[in-house]
Amino acid sequence: MTEGDRVLTVEGVHAYYGNSHILHGVDLDLDEGEVVTLLGRNGAGKTTTMRSIVGVVPPREGTVTYRGQQISGMDVDDISDLGIKLVPEDRRVFPTLSVQENLSLAKRLAPESDRTVDEMYDIFPVLAELKSSNGQNLSGGEQQMLSVARALVQDPDVLLLDEPTEGLAPVIVDDLREVLRDVVEQNVTVLLTEQNVQFAFDLAERGYIIDKGEIVFDGDIEEIEEREDLLEDYLSVSSGELE
Ligand SMILES: Nc1ncnc2c1ncn2[C@@H]1O[C@H](COP(=O)(O)OP(=O)(O)OP(=O)(O)O)[C@@H](O)[C@H]1O
Ligand SMILES: [Mg+2]
């Protein structure tokens, strides 16, 4: 691997909410075009890791480096402008704006993006049918599609997807998997957190396991799938439950 392949490096990151010490020296890296998953139980620190990367919860110790530039300590908006986009757990679709307005607004906030709103309707046909529906009238699955589309229309270089399947019906999860398979074929590097371990295994090539704010394992998905101890201790699944 040449040095140019490294897109993002998280090194020794410690993060806090007030006095609560949540991340204890997280190390993680993403190479060009990879889909990497960050797995772990409820409260393990997955969301906090993503918030540290995008500057919402700035690291108190350690660094985050994006293509050779230190971004830890930078403003949230400046990090976003570099092309690092978080699709948050709670989706945050604008409830009183239509699908079209949600997408146009996102597009306007990233004027340098070559992606168009119409392209998003090609990728997410369900959104094309809902153009004039308000965000608040969409189902959970539709809001999730919109949330991903909003990030995608900004032509992200790095896409952080925080539990995209949370609260979705199984049939919608299948749709989302198909859409994300297309998305990851495009020119984007992805970090994905999931409670739905199978979903993460279907999409990612490599994974990290976090527990109590520390990375306890990293390796290829094939290896995690075979490690009954990791599955049981940190992911609360057994290999029998996986496909
Ligand atoms: N805003 C907050 N203020 C204080 N503590 C928080 C806050 N958000 C999260 N925490 C705590 O930080 C720890 C890590 O939470 P985090 O949200 O990063 O976990 P997670 O791995 O994303 O979990 P989940 O799978 O439930 O989304 C937990 O103990 C949680 O209670
Ligand atoms: Mg979370």
Side-chain angles (χ1 to χ4, degrees):
M1 195 192 81
T2 63
E3 208 149 292
D5 291 332
R6 180 60 45 79
V7 174
L8 196 85
T9 309
V10 175
E11 250 180 319
V13 162
H14 290 253
Y16 295 71
Y17 293 108
N19 291 327
S20 305
H21 191 171
I22 305 295
L23 299 184
H24 300 265
V26 168
D27 293 318
L28 177 156
D29 44 59
L30 300 178
D31 292 337
E32 189 84 58
E34 274 193 311
V35 182
V36 175
T37 184
L38 176 62
L39 300 170
R41 291 199 199 92
N42 280 324
K46 303 181 296 296
T47 297
T48 308
T49 300
M50 289 191 161
R51 288 182 180 153
S52 292
I53 293 171
V54 299
V56 173
V57 180
R60 277 203 213 162
E61 248 183 83
T63 55
V64 182
T65 309
Y66 169 69
R67 297 192 182 278
Q69 174 184 5
Q70 188 180 321
I71 60 167
S72 37
M74 284 173 55
D75 283 348
V76 176
D77 291 342
D78 293 335
I79 293 173
S80 173
D81 287 347
L82 288 172
I84 304 169
K85 306 292 179 187
L86 171 66
V87 178
E89 234 168 353
D90 58 8
R91 296 164 197 157
R92 291 205 219 125
V93 159
F94 291 110
T96 58
L97 297 186
S98 68
V99 165
Q100 176 85 19
E101 287 163 341
N102 267 278
L103 289 171
S104 304
L105 182 62
K107 166 76 183 166
R108 275 208 298 284
L109 292 173
E112 72 293 349
S113 165
D114 292 331
R115 296 293 187 110
T116 65
V117 170
D118 282 343
E119 259 181 280
M120 295 306 115
Y121 292 139
D122 291 339
I123 302 174
F124 303 90
V126 62
L127 296 181
E129 291 165 31
L130 295 165
K131 270 180 201 179
S132 49
S133 302
N134 278 357
Q136 64 199 2
N137 296 330
L138 306 183
S139 70
E142 291 158 357
Q143 285 189 17
Q144 188 61 56
M145 301 283 182
L146 179 54
S147 189
V148 175
R150 241 177 11 178
L152 216 55
V153 79
Q154 300 187 325
D155 198 14
D157 189 29
V158 179
L159 188 60
L160 308 175
L161 294 169
D162 195 358
E163 292 201 38
T165 71
E166 196 186 6
L168 303 187
V171 51
I172 307 297
V173 170
D174 290 340
D175 288 350
L176 187 66
R177 186 191 292 104
E178 289 317 304
V179 167
L180 290 181
R181 279 208 171 113
D182 289 345
V183 167
V184 302
E185 288 302 310
Q186 327 224 358
N187 211 7
V188 63
T189 302
V190 176
L191 182 64
L192 165 75
T193 74
E194 263 305 334
Q195 290 283 338
N196 183 338
V197 172
Q198 183 63 58
F199 186 86
F201 287 175
D202 289 344
L203 287 166
E205 300 133 48
R206 208 156 64 74
Y208 291 84
I209 298 177
I210 187 168
D211 190 51
K212 301 191 182 85
E214 287 181 73
I215 301 292
V216 293
F217 179 84
D218 71 282
D220 293 337
I221 295 301
E222 290 78 33
E223 190 178 350
I224 302 177
E225 280 175 318
E226 285 167 12
R227 289 276 303 270
E228 201 73 50
D229 57 330
L230 296 175
L231 296 175
E232 282 182 15
D233 293 350
Y234 300 114
L235 308 177
S236 308
V237 289
S238 64
S239 55
E241 292 171 65
L242 299 170
E243 279 155 25

